[in-house]
């Protein structure tokens, strides 16, 4: 199977600071992809470059056969690559209903709006109870549900989640992990950044350790590692 | 009875003009996070374009809408030329104050060159006068009092009941998240400026119908609009609308009881007190967003 996304030698950063150094990876060849690594080493920056929030300085980002590097975020959303950013900051004064309507804003997603709304409500029944409530008044877990729900409204062909369980209490976190598994079973390929390695091992088939803005280690299917080995990679040798 | 009528009428009339101006400033602030100091010049330009079209022989009913549409284009162009290139700069608020001031003074001098310093007047919306509650008023002012709430209500409906309005409110709250749902953020910025400039142009047409116009006619209304948005809270458009009418009534009452001379001082006194008690404005929530 061809990769749905391949990042080829991307260099990117903020101003004069380079964060990503010639990074390359592939997603969708074996299933879901997990990214992990120490804080501040460029995982979020990579996702921002992929979704067009950040213009890479060089390199190619090929989504579904097309080079999307440097294209507008809107064009990339229009192609079906949907990114749920870290920290679920969202639209604080909009209601859940408004967020869902925005998720379906792109012409590609509009015809599927009703069907996707059903899916989101089935996945997160809690949201339906609070449909008209402002996002700022929701709990952290609920806000994360709105973030993911909004992304599903965009009819993703590839869904990128940046630390979806960050800062959530264990019970809510387990529920959210189960929902993400559901999304994957529904046929949407995922790229997930997570600190929780257990969750990544369960959810994904291929792992990348991102260190100093480059891929330090790639773990392919079959090369299953145990938790201890990954931890030692995390903290260096 | 006639005192009450006079204050009521004066307040409604001034409040309408202030609301028309302030709402555009607030719209631009909430969506883009910048203050547009050429807003007063938009008002002037709208009035002069309307005057020019009437001079060319167009009936007011045609000339005024054309002027408002042209102003939308002017707003869009100004945004694209002196605001959009600066977006993303850390000190954007200050830089845009300067670029919009500069653009405004350029347009003001352009107007002076083209149309000259001689005062001009455009036709009233409705000619004639009436006496209501013992107070003599012009039908033009009555028309403004009636039309303004309708336009503001239409703007509110647009922002709150349409998908495009929803997109504008979204950009106001989170730019990155707006990009990630596929909104055309630059176009929405342009739209915010276009709407603001149209409203300012319309306010100019309103004003040019009862007062003489000059190339600097927009500077006082700009100052008043700034006071209104600071007073009402710059984080929404309903706050400034309420504040505009409140200040309108306040001014009308002050000038009735204390005279026109004392009104600005009293107004600033109230403003300073308000800001000491509620720095975010009286009607504001503590966040940025259109509602
Ligand atoms: N907007 C920005 N401007 C300047 N530097 C930034 C910006 N965002 C991130 N950085 C820097 O880029 C580097 C990589 O940050 P990034 O957010 O990509 O890391 P991360 O791997 O996602 O970390 P975490 O696990 O904490 O989310 C950090 O040194 C960070 O300080
Ligand atoms: Mg991150």
């Amino acid at each position: 199977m061809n990769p749905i996304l391949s990042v080829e030698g991307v260099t990117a950063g903020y101003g004069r600071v380079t964060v990503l150094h010639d990074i390359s990876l592939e997603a969708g060849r074996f299933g879901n992809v997990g990214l992990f690594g120490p804080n501040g080493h460029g995982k979020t920056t990579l996702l921002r470059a992929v979704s067009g929030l950040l213009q890479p300085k060089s390199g190619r980002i090929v989504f579904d056969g097309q080079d999307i590097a440097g294209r507008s975020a809107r064009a990339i959303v229009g192609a079906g690559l949907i990114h749920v950013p870290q920290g679920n900051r969202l639209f604080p004064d909009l209601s859940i209903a408004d967020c869902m309507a925005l998720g379906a804003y792109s012409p590609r997603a509009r015809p599927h709006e009703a069907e996707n709304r059903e899916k989101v409500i089935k996945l997160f029944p809690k949201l339906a109870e609070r449909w008209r409530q402002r996002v700022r008044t929701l709990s952290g877990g609920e806000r994360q549900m709105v973030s993911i729900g909004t992304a599903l409204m965009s009819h993703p062909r590839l869904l990128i989640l940046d630390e979806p369980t960050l800062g959530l209490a264990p019970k809510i976190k387990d529920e959210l992990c189960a929902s993400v598994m559901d999304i994957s079973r529904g046929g949407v390929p995922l790229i997930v950044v997570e600190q929780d390695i257990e969750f990544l091992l369960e959810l994904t088939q291929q792992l990348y350790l991102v260190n100093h803005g480059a891929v330090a280690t790639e773990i392919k299917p079959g090369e299953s590692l145990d938790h201890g080995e990954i931890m030692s990679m995390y903290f260096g040798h | 009875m006639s005192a009450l009528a006079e204050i009521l009428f004066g307040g409604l009339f001034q409040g309408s003009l202030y609301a028309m101006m302030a709402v555009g400033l607030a719209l631009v602030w909430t969506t883009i996070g910048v203050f547009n100091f050429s807003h007063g010049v938009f008002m002037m330009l709208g009035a002069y374009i309307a005057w020019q079209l009437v001079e060319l022989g167009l009936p007011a009913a045609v000339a005024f809408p054309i002027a408002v549409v042209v102003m939308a284009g002017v707003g869009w162009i100004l945004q694209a030329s002196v605001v959009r290139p600066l977006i993303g700069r850390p000190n954007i608020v200050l830089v845009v104050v300067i670029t919009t001031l500069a653009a405004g003074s350029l347009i003001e001098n352009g107007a002076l060159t083209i149309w000259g310093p001689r005062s001009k007047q455009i036709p009233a919306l409705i000619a004639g006068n009436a006496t209501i509650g013992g107070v003599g008023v012009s039908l033009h002012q009555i028309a403004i009092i009636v039309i303004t709430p309708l336009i503001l209500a239409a703007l509110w409906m647009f922002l709150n009941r349409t998908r495009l309005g929803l997109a504008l409110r979204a950009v106001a709250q989170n730019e990155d998240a707006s990009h990630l749902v596929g909104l055309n953020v630059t176009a929405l910025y342009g739209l915010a400026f276009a709407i603001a400039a149209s409203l300012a142009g319309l306010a100019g047409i309103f004003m040019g119908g009862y007062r003489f116009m000059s190339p600097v006619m927009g500077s006082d209304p700009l100052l008043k609009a700034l006071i209104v948005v600071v007073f009402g809270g710059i984080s929404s458009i309903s706050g400034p609308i309420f504040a505009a009418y409140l200040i309108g009534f306040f001014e009308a009452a002050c000038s009735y009881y204390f005279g026109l001379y004392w009104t600005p001082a009293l107004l600033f006194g109230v403003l300073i007190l308000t800001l000491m008690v509620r720095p975010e404005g009286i009607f504001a929530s503590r966040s940025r967003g259109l509602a």
Side-chain angles (χ1 to χ4, degrees), chain B residues 149-163:
Chain B
L150 295 179
I151 287 171
L152 296 177
L155 180 67
W156 191 90
M157 293 288 280
F158 166 70
L159 288 172
N160 288 285
R161 294 281 179 273
T162 69
R163 212 183 273 258

Side-chain angles (χ1 to χ4, degrees), chain A residues 58-71:
Chain A
S58 63
R60 275 159 49 90
I61 299 171
V62 181
F63 176 62
D64 194 28
Q66 295 208 43
D67 188 0
I68 57 166
R71 284 228 224 146

Side-chain angles (χ1 to χ4, degrees), chain B residues 250-251 254-269:
Chain B
F250 180 82
E251 280 194 346
C254 279
S255 50
Y256 187 84
Y257 291 112
F258 306 108
L260 210 55
Y261 183 74
W262 286 103
T263 304
L266 286 167
L267 181 59
F268 275 108

